[in-house]
Amino acid sequence: MTSLYLIRHGVAIEPDPQVPDEGRSLTAEGRRKTQRVAQRLQKLGLVISLIHTSPLARAQETAAIFSETFNCGMAEEALLAPGGDLGQWLTWFGPWQLEHGGKQKAIALIGHEPDLTAWAEQLLWGEVRSVLVLKKVGIIGVTVPDREPFMGQGLLFLLAPPKMFGDV
Amino acid sequence: MTSLYLIRHGVAIEPDPQVPDEGRSLTAEGRRKTQRVAQRLQKLGLVISLIHTSPLARAQETAAIFSETFNCGMAEEALLAPGGDLGQWLTWFGPWQLEHGGKQKAIALIGHEPDLTAWAEQLLWGEVRSVLVLKKVGIIGVTVPDREPFMGQGLLFLLAPPKMFGDV
């Protein structure tokens, strides 16, 4: 039973004809908010063993902040680019979990909407229902069973917008 | 579009043949943790307009803490006792919302498991799937549309265990 955290990238600069979409960086405020969320989650005791990130700049920059805060490795994962397929990712995850998974292990997936909620919904109830709301730097936590099948077998234990991790 | 917060009662004393189940109170630690969660949610800007609570002591005591923290009214609701029917509650909620609902309005429902996750799941996808995990003093946030039908039409924007609102 490994946990998966699906985390949406932070606020990026507006689309700009001069900048390819995949090159849009986080804004200064987006970076600050991402750091704040990552730091609070780390202090709350969240564990992240490994980060997979979409290759787009705004996701990579978000992942780098989480990787530094949680002191864990990160790897680019093409399937986390917009439109990527969960089923394909699970063919990597199944064997990884058998070797490295467990109760205190978690993989964070940094990517985009509507893909992340679609992945979470497929894990929870086997199909996309579009009923989960994931804000930028919001987080979804799902536990998945030790072995296949994974689709429709997950449990949802966390879904929160960044303001739930604000300074008050 | 009104928000519903489904909140599970705090940790109560263990079952005891001398005490009827409906009379079990929160423990001192359960009361402290409930206060901590309520206070942090209030500081984070959560709004609660009205509380409906199960008539059981552990729910009523939880509701009293939220009512005091959020400075809002609370009413006993028999349908929030174990086994209560969401459909029946919605026959009260529909007219209430037409008169009092809106974007900044929210009702908190204080009750028990597995009923609260069953209610949330019926609002989200029209049936119970048992995939949501709600700890004691955990919270689920669902927005529902302005008018019927409500079942299967909700959106999930929050699900969190109390440790996400801890002091760090």
Tab-separated table of all heavy atoms in Angstrom, chain A residues 40-41 43-46 124-127 129-134 143 152 154-161 163-168, chain B residues 40-41 43-46 124-127 129-134 143 152 154-161 163-168:
chain	number	residue	atom	x	y	z
A	40	ARG	N	5.163	23.512	4.522
A	40	ARG	CA	4.172	23.145	5.539
A	40	ARG	C	3.866	21.646	5.479
A	40	ARG	O	3.768	20.984	6.509
A	40	ARG	CB	2.898	23.982	5.421
A	40	ARG	CG	1.921	23.619	6.504
A	40	ARG	CD	0.949	24.661	6.962
A	40	ARG	NE	-0.011	24.019	7.845
A	40	ARG	CZ	0.085	23.972	9.168
A	40	ARG	NH1	1.064	24.604	9.779
A	40	ARG	NH2	-0.800	23.321	9.898
A	41	LEU	N	3.723	21.108	4.286
A	41	LEU	CA	3.455	19.664	4.170
A	41	LEU	C	4.590	18.856	4.779
A	41	LEU	O	4.362	17.850	5.456
A	41	LEU	CB	3.259	19.279	2.697
A	41	LEU	CG	1.953	19.745	2.060
A	41	LEU	CD1	1.968	19.493	0.557
A	41	LEU	CD2	0.752	19.035	2.688
A	43	LYS	N	6.618	19.843	7.184
A	43	LYS	CA	6.556	19.980	8.653
A	43	LYS	C	5.406	19.164	9.247
A	43	LYS	O	5.482	18.719	10.391
A	43	LYS	CB	6.385	21.454	9.031
A	43	LYS	CG	7.678	22.251	8.872
A	43	LYS	CD	7.496	23.667	9.385
A	43	LYS	CE	8.725	24.512	9.110
A	43	LYS	NZ	8.416	25.953	9.160
A	44	LEU	N	4.334	18.995	8.475
A	44	LEU	CA	3.192	18.212	8.962
A	44	LEU	C	3.492	16.711	8.957
A	44	LEU	O	2.671	15.911	9.393
A	44	LEU	CB	1.949	18.484	8.104
A	44	LEU	CG	1.251	19.833	8.350
A	44	LEU	CD1	0.239	20.121	7.241
A	44	LEU	CD2	0.554	19.854	9.708
A	45	GLY	N	4.653	16.346	8.429
A	45	GLY	CA	5.043	14.944	8.497
A	45	GLY	C	4.798	14.148	7.230
A	45	GLY	O	4.978	12.928	7.213
A	46	LEU	N	4.362	14.830	6.170
A	46	LEU	CA	4.189	14.132	4.895
A	46	LEU	C	5.533	13.577	4.431
A	46	LEU	O	6.575	14.232	4.593
A	46	LEU	CB	3.668	15.133	3.857
A	46	LEU	CG	2.809	14.568	2.740
A	46	LEU	CD1	1.344	14.538	3.200
A	46	LEU	CD2	2.902	15.450	1.510
A	124	LEU	N	-9.540	5.792	-8.233
A	124	LEU	CA	-10.559	5.651	-7.202
A	124	LEU	C	-11.750	4.840	-7.668
A	124	LEU	O	-12.232	3.972	-6.962
A	124	LEU	CB	-11.042	7.027	-6.741
A	124	LEU	CG	-9.989	7.881	-6.044
A	124	LEU	CD1	-10.525	9.276	-5.787
A	124	LEU	CD2	-9.550	7.226	-4.740
A	125	TRP	N	-12.288	5.201	-8.836
A	125	TRP	CA	-13.492	4.470	-9.242
A	125	TRP	C	-13.477	4.025	-10.701
A	125	TRP	O	-14.514	3.756	-11.283
A	125	TRP	CB	-14.776	5.181	-8.857
A	125	TRP	CG	-14.936	6.604	-9.231
A	125	TRP	CD1	-15.495	7.088	-10.370
A	125	TRP	CD2	-14.590	7.736	-8.436
A	125	TRP	NE1	-15.491	8.449	-10.341
A	125	TRP	CE2	-14.960	8.870	-9.170
A	125	TRP	CE3	-13.992	7.897	-7.164
A	125	TRP	CZ2	-14.730	10.160	-8.687
A	125	TRP	CZ3	-13.791	9.177	-6.698
A	125	TRP	CH2	-14.160	10.272	-7.456
A	126	GLY	N	-12.258	3.904	-11.251
A	126	GLY	CA	-12.121	3.219	-12.527
A	126	GLY	C	-12.510	4.018	-13.751
A	126	GLY	O	-12.369	3.532	-14.870
A	127	GLU	N	-12.993	5.241	-13.547
A	127	GLU	CA	-13.369	6.066	-14.698
A	127	GLU	C	-13.332	7.534	-14.313
A	127	GLU	O	-13.295	7.869	-13.131
A	127	GLU	CB	-14.767	5.686	-15.195
A	127	GLU	CG	-15.825	5.859	-14.134
A	127	GLU	CD	-17.220	5.458	-14.603
A	127	GLU	OE1	-17.447	5.361	-15.817
A	127	GLU	OE2	-18.089	5.272	-13.734
A	129	ARG	N	-14.897	11.064	-13.727
A	129	ARG	CA	-16.212	11.611	-13.418
A	129	ARG	C	-16.190	13.142	-13.311
A	129	ARG	O	-17.220	13.766	-13.157
A	129	ARG	CB	-16.732	11.039	-12.093
A	129	ARG	CG	-17.051	9.556	-12.127
A	129	ARG	CD	-18.391	9.309	-12.805
A	129	ARG	NE	-18.796	7.923	-12.624
A	129	ARG	CZ	-19.712	7.516	-11.736
A	129	ARG	NH1	-20.325	8.372	-10.951
A	129	ARG	NH2	-20.030	6.250	-11.648
A	130	SER	N	-14.986	13.711	-13.281
A	130	SER	CA	-14.839	15.176	-13.189
A	130	SER	C	-15.561	15.772	-11.987
A	130	SER	O	-16.264	16.768	-12.094
A	130	SER	CB	-15.340	15.852	-14.478
A	130	SER	OG	-14.657	15.329	-15.587
A	131	VAL	N	-15.377	15.153	-10.821
A	131	VAL	CA	-15.982	15.701	-9.607
A	131	VAL	C	-14.933	16.169	-8.600
A	131	VAL	O	-15.294	16.682	-7.542
A	131	VAL	CB	-16.927	14.696	-8.909
A	131	VAL	CG1	-17.988	14.206	-9.873
A	131	VAL	CG2	-16.182	13.538	-8.294
A	132	LEU	N	-13.648	15.995	-8.906
A	132	LEU	CA	-12.599	16.455	-7.989
A	132	LEU	C	-12.100	17.827	-8.454
A	132	LEU	O	-11.906	18.047	-9.652
A	132	LEU	CB	-11.422	15.474	-7.959
A	132	LEU	CG	-11.738	14.022	-7.597
A	132	LEU	CD1	-10.450	13.195	-7.567
A	132	LEU	CD2	-12.455	13.920	-6.265
A	133	VAL	N	-11.893	18.719	-7.501
A	133	VAL	CA	-11.428	20.073	-7.803
A	133	VAL	C	-9.987	20.198	-7.313
A	133	VAL	O	-9.719	20.044	-6.122
A	133	VAL	CB	-12.298	21.122	-7.081
A	133	VAL	CG1	-11.785	22.523	-7.376
A	133	VAL	CG2	-13.768	20.972	-7.488
A	134	LEU	N	-9.048	20.468	-8.238
A	134	LEU	CA	-7.635	20.576	-7.855
A	134	LEU	C	-7.085	21.940	-8.292
A	134	LEU	O	-6.888	22.200	-9.473
A	134	LEU	CB	-6.826	19.447	-8.505
A	134	LEU	CG	-5.350	19.374	-8.089
A	134	LEU	CD1	-5.212	19.079	-6.600
A	134	LEU	CD2	-4.613	18.304	-8.908
A	143	THR	N	-4.209	6.229	-1.715
A	143	THR	CA	-3.436	5.000	-1.477
A	143	THR	C	-3.874	3.959	-2.495
A	143	THR	O	-5.057	3.856	-2.826
A	143	THR	CB	-3.646	4.419	-0.064
A	143	THR	OG1	-5.032	4.294	0.188
A	143	THR	CG2	-3.016	5.296	0.997
A	152	GLY	N	-9.489	1.765	-10.051
A	152	GLY	CA	-10.732	1.575	-9.306
A	152	GLY	C	-10.525	0.974	-7.929
A	152	GLY	O	-11.495	0.636	-7.251
A	154	GLY	N	-8.211	2.432	-5.533
A	154	GLY	CA	-7.577	3.385	-4.633
A	154	GLY	C	-8.526	3.916	-3.566
A	154	GLY	O	-9.749	3.788	-3.672
A	155	LEU	N	-7.946	4.509	-2.522
A	155	LEU	CA	-8.713	5.202	-1.479
A	155	LEU	C	-8.236	6.644	-1.424
A	155	LEU	O	-7.034	6.909	-1.476
A	155	LEU	CB	-8.489	4.547	-0.118
A	155	LEU	CG	-8.991	3.117	0.053
A	155	LEU	CD1	-8.599	2.590	1.431
A	155	LEU	CD2	-10.515	3.059	-0.122
A	156	LEU	N	-9.176	7.566	-1.301
A	156	LEU	CA	-8.831	8.995	-1.248
A	156	LEU	C	-8.720	9.442	0.207
A	156	LEU	O	-9.702	9.377	0.952
A	156	LEU	CB	-9.910	9.814	-1.954
A	156	LEU	CG	-9.635	11.311	-2.055
A	156	LEU	CD1	-8.512	11.576	-3.044
A	156	LEU	CD2	-10.883	12.068	-2.489
A	157	PHE	N	-7.533	9.880	0.629
A	157	PHE	CA	-7.380	10.313	2.023
A	157	PHE	C	-7.037	11.796	2.135
A	157	PHE	O	-6.997	12.341	3.238
A	157	PHE	CB	-6.331	9.471	2.758
A	157	PHE	CG	-4.932	9.595	2.211
A	157	PHE	CD1	-4.050	10.539	2.726
A	157	PHE	CD2	-4.489	8.783	1.186
A	157	PHE	CE1	-2.761	10.674	2.237
A	157	PHE	CE2	-3.201	8.906	0.676
A	157	PHE	CZ	-2.339	9.850	1.195
A	158	LEU	N	-6.817	12.463	1.002
A	158	LEU	CA	-6.464	13.890	1.067
A	158	LEU	C	-6.824	14.578	-0.247
A	158	LEU	O	-6.553	14.045	-1.324
A	158	LEU	CB	-4.953	14.025	1.319
A	158	LEU	CG	-4.391	15.443	1.420
A	158	LEU	CD1	-4.986	16.184	2.623
A	158	LEU	CD2	-2.869	15.418	1.535
A	159	LEU	N	-7.427	15.746	-0.129
A	159	LEU	CA	-7.633	16.627	-1.288
A	159	LEU	C	-7.716	18.032	-0.704
A	159	LEU	O	-8.609	18.321	0.094
A	159	LEU	CB	-8.917	16.269	-2.030
A	159	LEU	CG	-9.164	17.016	-3.359
A	159	LEU	CD1	-10.196	16.275	-4.212
A	159	LEU	CD2	-9.637	18.453	-3.157
A	160	ALA	N	-6.776	18.879	-1.066
A	160	ALA	CA	-6.779	20.200	-0.429
A	160	ALA	C	-6.185	21.261	-1.343
A	160	ALA	O	-5.206	21.016	-2.054
A	160	ALA	CB	-6.004	20.150	0.888
A	161	PRO	N	-6.800	22.438	-1.312
A	161	PRO	CA	-6.229	23.586	-2.023
A	161	PRO	C	-5.092	24.181	-1.192
A	161	PRO	O	-5.003	23.927	0.017
A	161	PRO	CB	-7.410	24.556	-2.103
A	161	PRO	CG	-8.200	24.282	-0.868
A	161	PRO	CD	-8.022	22.808	-0.574
A	163	LYS	N	-4.624	27.012	0.050
A	163	LYS	CA	-4.939	27.912	1.168
A	163	LYS	C	-5.103	27.149	2.484
A	163	LYS	O	-4.993	27.723	3.558
A	163	LYS	CB	-6.162	28.790	0.867
A	163	LYS	CG	-7.493	28.143	1.008
A	163	LYS	CD	-8.607	29.197	0.949
A	163	LYS	CE	-9.963	28.517	1.144
A	163	LYS	NZ	-11.066	29.449	1.145
A	164	MET	N	-5.324	25.822	2.408
A	164	MET	CA	-5.400	25.027	3.641
A	164	MET	C	-4.025	24.876	4.292
A	164	MET	O	-3.915	24.394	5.408
A	164	MET	CB	-5.970	23.638	3.339
A	164	MET	CG	-7.450	23.644	3.037
A	164	MET	SD	-8.435	24.115	4.499
A	164	MET	CE	-9.540	25.319	3.781
A	165	PHE	N	-2.967	25.266	3.569
A	165	PHE	CA	-1.621	25.160	4.122
A	165	PHE	C	-0.989	26.537	4.274
A	165	PHE	O	0.224	26.686	4.270
A	165	PHE	CB	-0.765	24.249	3.232
A	165	PHE	CG	-1.411	22.917	3.008
A	165	PHE	CD1	-1.932	22.566	1.779
A	165	PHE	CD2	-1.556	22.019	4.061
A	165	PHE	CE1	-2.565	21.343	1.586
A	165	PHE	CE2	-2.194	20.805	3.877
A	165	PHE	CZ	-2.696	20.460	2.641
A	166	GLY	N	-1.844	27.546	4.397
A	166	GLY	CA	-1.372	28.921	4.499
A	166	GLY	C	-0.866	29.255	5.889
A	166	GLY	O	-1.018	28.487	6.841
A	167	ASP	N	-0.226	30.420	5.979
A	167	ASP	CA	0.208	30.934	7.278
A	167	ASP	C	-0.966	31.683	7.886
A	167	ASP	O	-1.536	32.550	7.246
A	167	ASP	CB	1.373	31.907	7.100
A	167	ASP	CG	2.551	31.228	6.430
A	167	ASP	OD1	2.843	30.075	6.791
A	167	ASP	OD2	3.159	31.853	5.546
A	168	VAL	N	-1.311	31.355	9.098
A	168	VAL	CA	-2.407	32.078	9.761
A	168	VAL	C	-1.977	32.460	11.173
A	168	VAL	O	-1.018	31.930	11.691
A	168	VAL	CB	-3.704	31.238	9.836
A	168	VAL	CG1	-4.256	31.017	8.455
A	168	VAL	CG2	-3.483	29.933	10.551
B	40	ARG	N	-8.101	26.367	13.678
B	40	ARG	CA	-7.272	26.559	12.485
B	40	ARG	C	-8.139	26.760	11.239
B	40	ARG	O	-7.848	27.621	10.413
B	40	ARG	CB	-6.282	25.406	12.292
B	40	ARG	CG	-5.398	25.667	11.089
B	40	ARG	CD	-4.048	25.032	11.076
B	40	ARG	NE	-3.472	25.242	9.746
B	40	ARG	CZ	-2.683	26.250	9.402
B	40	ARG	NH1	-2.308	27.119	10.307
B	40	ARG	NH2	-2.262	26.389	8.168
B	41	LEU	N	-9.195	25.986	11.104
B	41	LEU	CA	-10.085	26.161	9.945
B	41	LEU	C	-10.682	27.564	9.936
B	41	LEU	O	-10.805	28.189	8.881
B	41	LEU	CB	-11.201	25.109	9.967
B	41	LEU	CG	-10.767	23.675	9.640
B	41	LEU	CD1	-11.910	22.700	9.906
B	41	LEU	CD2	-10.307	23.558	8.188
B	43	LYS	N	-9.346	30.280	11.245
B	43	LYS	CA	-8.277	31.234	10.889
B	43	LYS	C	-7.938	31.161	9.402
B	43	LYS	O	-7.516	32.153	8.803
B	43	LYS	CB	-7.021	30.957	11.722
B	43	LYS	CG	-7.157	31.449	13.156
B	43	LYS	CD	-5.851	31.272	13.907
B	43	LYS	CE	-6.002	31.609	15.377
B	43	LYS	NZ	-4.926	30.997	16.182
B	44	LEU	N	-8.098	29.967	8.805
B	44	LEU	CA	-7.813	29.818	7.371
B	44	LEU	C	-8.902	30.444	6.502
B	44	LEU	O	-8.789	30.458	5.286
B	44	LEU	CB	-7.662	28.335	7.010
B	44	LEU	CG	-6.368	27.663	7.455
B	44	LEU	CD1	-6.475	26.143	7.347
B	44	LEU	CD2	-5.174	28.158	6.639
B	45	GLY	N	-9.964	30.921	7.140
B	45	GLY	CA	-10.985	31.634	6.380
B	45	GLY	C	-12.204	30.819	6.012
B	45	GLY	O	-13.079	31.285	5.271
B	46	LEU	N	-12.268	29.592	6.513
B	46	LEU	CA	-13.466	28.788	6.272
B	46	LEU	C	-14.685	29.482	6.883
B	46	LEU	O	-14.600	30.060	7.967
B	46	LEU	CB	-13.272	27.425	6.948
B	46	LEU	CG	-13.998	26.246	6.329
B	46	LEU	CD1	-13.103	25.643	5.244
B	46	LEU	CD2	-14.256	25.179	7.388
B	124	LEU	N	-21.549	13.150	-4.688
B	124	LEU	CA	-20.547	13.273	-5.749
B	124	LEU	C	-20.869	12.420	-6.958
B	124	LEU	O	-20.770	12.870	-8.084
B	124	LEU	CB	-19.162	12.877	-5.221
B	124	LEU	CG	-18.604	13.786	-4.126
B	124	LEU	CD1	-17.323	13.194	-3.571
B	124	LEU	CD2	-18.363	15.192	-4.660
B	125	TRP	N	-21.187	11.141	-6.716
B	125	TRP	CA	-21.409	10.297	-7.884
B	125	TRP	C	-22.640	9.416	-7.773
B	125	TRP	O	-22.768	8.416	-8.467
B	125	TRP	CB	-20.175	9.527	-8.323
B	125	TRP	CG	-19.443	8.735	-7.307
B	125	TRP	CD1	-19.634	7.441	-6.995
B	125	TRP	CD2	-18.346	9.190	-6.503
B	125	TRP	NE1	-18.748	7.070	-6.026
B	125	TRP	CE2	-17.952	8.104	-5.720
B	125	TRP	CE3	-17.676	10.418	-6.367
B	125	TRP	CZ2	-16.903	8.212	-4.794
B	125	TRP	CZ3	-16.644	10.511	-5.457
B	125	TRP	CH2	-16.261	9.417	-4.690
B	126	GLY	N	-23.585	9.840	-6.908
B	126	GLY	CA	-24.908	9.230	-6.931
B	126	GLY	C	-25.020	7.876	-6.274
B	126	GLY	O	-26.105	7.311	-6.206
B	127	GLU	N	-23.899	7.334	-5.769
B	127	GLU	CA	-23.951	6.039	-5.104
B	127	GLU	C	-22.771	5.900	-4.155
B	127	GLU	O	-21.809	6.660	-4.241
B	127	GLU	CB	-23.933	4.903	-6.132
B	127	GLU	CG	-22.694	4.927	-7.002
B	127	GLU	CD	-22.679	3.823	-8.050
B	127	GLU	OE1	-23.415	2.843	-7.914
B	127	GLU	OE2	-21.899	3.946	-9.010
B	129	ARG	N	-19.476	4.264	-2.842
B	129	ARG	CA	-18.380	3.461	-3.375
B	129	ARG	C	-17.340	3.121	-2.307
B	129	ARG	O	-16.418	2.365	-2.566
B	129	ARG	CB	-17.673	4.230	-4.510
B	129	ARG	CG	-18.522	4.450	-5.749
B	129	ARG	CD	-18.547	3.192	-6.617
B	129	ARG	NE	-19.157	3.478	-7.896
B	129	ARG	CZ	-18.478	3.633	-9.037
B	129	ARG	NH1	-17.163	3.542	-9.046
B	129	ARG	NH2	-19.102	3.889	-10.167
B	130	SER	N	-17.463	3.751	-1.141
B	130	SER	CA	-16.522	3.473	-0.032
B	130	SER	C	-15.068	3.690	-0.422
B	130	SER	O	-14.201	2.868	-0.135
B	130	SER	CB	-16.708	2.041	0.492
B	130	SER	OG	-18.039	1.844	0.877
B	131	VAL	N	-14.791	4.814	-1.081
B	131	VAL	CA	-13.401	5.122	-1.435
B	131	VAL	C	-12.888	6.362	-0.706
B	131	VAL	O	-11.724	6.724	-0.878
B	131	VAL	CB	-13.195	5.308	-2.960
B	131	VAL	CG1	-13.690	4.093	-3.717
B	131	VAL	CG2	-13.843	6.565	-3.474
B	132	LEU	N	-13.731	7.027	0.078
B	132	LEU	CA	-13.279	8.215	0.818
B	132	LEU	C	-12.913	7.801	2.233
B	132	LEU	O	-13.616	7.006	2.863
B	132	LEU	CB	-14.384	9.277	0.868
B	132	LEU	CG	-14.955	9.755	-0.473
B	132	LEU	CD1	-16.005	10.839	-0.224
B	132	LEU	CD2	-13.852	10.273	-1.378
B	133	VAL	N	-11.808	8.344	2.734
B	133	VAL	CA	-11.331	8.028	4.082
B	133	VAL	C	-11.534	9.260	4.957
B	133	VAL	O	-10.983	10.326	4.673
B	133	VAL	CB	-9.826	7.674	4.058
B	133	VAL	CG1	-9.328	7.378	5.468
B	133	VAL	CG2	-9.567	6.488	3.126
B	134	LEU	N	-12.347	9.128	6.018
B	134	LEU	CA	-12.619	10.268	6.897
B	134	LEU	C	-12.258	9.905	8.335
B	134	LEU	O	-12.939	9.114	8.989
B	134	LEU	CB	-14.104	10.667	6.804
B	134	LEU	CG	-14.500	11.915	7.592
B	134	LEU	CD1	-13.772	13.150	7.079
B	134	LEU	CD2	-16.006	12.129	7.553
B	143	THR	N	-19.290	21.065	-2.824
B	143	THR	CA	-20.252	22.085	-3.266
B	143	THR	C	-21.384	21.388	-3.999
B	143	THR	O	-21.174	20.435	-4.740
B	143	THR	CB	-19.618	23.129	-4.214
B	143	THR	OG1	-18.958	22.457	-5.276
B	143	THR	CG2	-18.630	24.010	-3.479
B	152	GLY	N	-25.330	13.084	-7.002
B	152	GLY	CA	-24.443	12.884	-8.148
B	152	GLY	C	-24.023	14.165	-8.835
B	152	GLY	O	-23.390	14.118	-9.885
B	154	GLY	N	-22.513	16.910	-7.002
B	154	GLY	CA	-21.586	17.679	-6.175
B	154	GLY	C	-20.159	17.662	-6.713
B	154	GLY	O	-19.807	16.837	-7.560
B	155	LEU	N	-19.353	18.602	-6.216
B	155	LEU	CA	-17.923	18.633	-6.527
B	155	LEU	C	-17.157	18.557	-5.208
B	155	LEU	O	-17.520	19.211	-4.231
B	155	LEU	CB	-17.552	19.944	-7.234
B	155	LEU	CG	-18.150	20.164	-8.627
B	155	LEU	CD1	-17.775	21.545	-9.138
B	155	LEU	CD2	-17.679	19.082	-9.594
B	156	LEU	N	-16.093	17.777	-5.192
B	156	LEU	CA	-15.289	17.609	-3.979
B	156	LEU	C	-14.113	18.572	-4.016
B	156	LEU	O	-13.263	18.485	-4.899
B	156	LEU	CB	-14.768	16.179	-3.897
B	156	LEU	CG	-13.989	15.834	-2.618
B	156	LEU	CD1	-14.928	15.783	-1.428
B	156	LEU	CD2	-13.269	14.504	-2.766
B	157	PHE	N	-14.053	19.505	-3.057
B	157	PHE	CA	-12.939	20.457	-3.050
B	157	PHE	C	-12.059	20.324	-1.812
B	157	PHE	O	-11.017	20.974	-1.719
B	157	PHE	CB	-13.444	21.912	-3.179
B	157	PHE	CG	-14.296	22.375	-2.026
B	157	PHE	CD1	-13.725	23.038	-0.957
B	157	PHE	CD2	-15.657	22.157	-2.022
B	157	PHE	CE1	-14.508	23.480	0.113
B	157	PHE	CE2	-16.448	22.578	-0.959
B	157	PHE	CZ	-15.869	23.247	0.106
B	158	LEU	N	-12.439	19.472	-0.872
B	158	LEU	CA	-11.645	19.324	0.355
B	158	LEU	C	-11.903	17.960	0.987
B	158	LEU	O	-13.057	17.523	1.081
B	158	LEU	CB	-12.018	20.429	1.353
B	158	LEU	CG	-11.282	20.426	2.695
B	158	LEU	CD1	-9.792	20.670	2.491
B	158	LEU	CD2	-11.863	21.490	3.624
B	159	LEU	N	-10.830	17.310	1.399
B	159	LEU	CA	-10.922	16.100	2.222
B	159	LEU	C	-9.613	16.038	2.993
B	159	LEU	O	-8.534	15.950	2.386
B	159	LEU	CB	-11.098	14.852	1.347
B	159	LEU	CG	-11.354	13.528	2.097
B	159	LEU	CD1	-11.958	12.490	1.151
B	159	LEU	CD2	-10.122	12.962	2.746
B	160	ALA	N	-9.692	16.130	4.297
B	160	ALA	CA	-8.436	16.183	5.048
B	160	ALA	C	-8.589	15.609	6.444
B	160	ALA	O	-9.611	15.807	7.108
B	160	ALA	CB	-7.940	17.631	5.134
B	161	PRO	N	-7.551	14.892	6.891
B	161	PRO	CA	-7.512	14.419	8.265
B	161	PRO	C	-7.073	15.543	9.188
B	161	PRO	O	-6.486	16.545	8.722
B	161	PRO	CB	-6.459	13.313	8.216
B	161	PRO	CG	-5.511	13.753	7.153
B	161	PRO	CD	-6.328	14.527	6.139
B	163	LYS	N	-4.661	15.903	11.133
B	163	LYS	CA	-3.237	16.226	11.241
B	163	LYS	C	-2.811	17.282	10.220
B	163	LYS	O	-1.795	17.942	10.402
B	163	LYS	CB	-2.356	14.975	11.186
B	163	LYS	CG	-2.114	14.415	9.823
B	163	LYS	CD	-1.013	13.342	9.882
B	163	LYS	CE	-0.743	12.839	8.474
B	163	LYS	NZ	0.266	11.802	8.400
B	164	MET	N	-3.605	17.474	9.172
B	164	MET	CA	-3.304	18.527	8.203
B	164	MET	C	-3.546	19.925	8.789
B	164	MET	O	-3.195	20.936	8.190
B	164	MET	CB	-4.143	18.367	6.933
B	164	MET	CG	-3.724	17.201	6.065
B	164	MET	SD	-2.056	17.462	5.363
B	164	MET	CE	-1.296	15.884	5.684
B	165	PHE	N	-4.198	19.960	9.946
B	165	PHE	CA	-4.470	21.247	10.583
B	165	PHE	C	-3.756	21.361	11.917
B	165	PHE	O	-4.174	22.089	12.815
B	165	PHE	CB	-5.989	21.441	10.740
B	165	PHE	CG	-6.720	21.253	9.443
B	165	PHE	CD1	-7.532	20.168	9.217
B	165	PHE	CD2	-6.546	22.169	8.407
B	165	PHE	CE1	-8.167	19.979	7.997
B	165	PHE	CE2	-7.178	21.988	7.195
B	165	PHE	CZ	-7.991	20.896	6.977
B	166	GLY	N	-2.659	20.595	12.046
B	166	GLY	CA	-1.922	20.572	13.302
B	166	GLY	C	-1.033	21.791	13.469
B	166	GLY	O	-0.838	22.579	12.543
B	167	ASP	N	-0.508	21.924	14.662
B	167	ASP	CA	0.474	22.978	14.943
B	167	ASP	C	1.847	22.436	14.545
B	167	ASP	O	2.225	21.346	14.975
B	167	ASP	CB	0.508	23.311	16.439
B	167	ASP	CG	-0.856	23.769	16.905
B	167	ASP	OD1	-1.508	24.523	16.169
B	167	ASP	OD2	-1.263	23.357	18.007
B	168	VAL	N	2.557	23.172	13.737
B	168	VAL	CA	3.907	22.719	13.365
B	168	VAL	C	4.872	23.880	13.523
B	168	VAL	O	4.466	25.017	13.637
B	168	VAL	CB	3.981	22.194	11.917
B	168	VAL	CG1	3.211	20.901	11.796
B	168	VAL	CG2	3.519	23.214	10.927
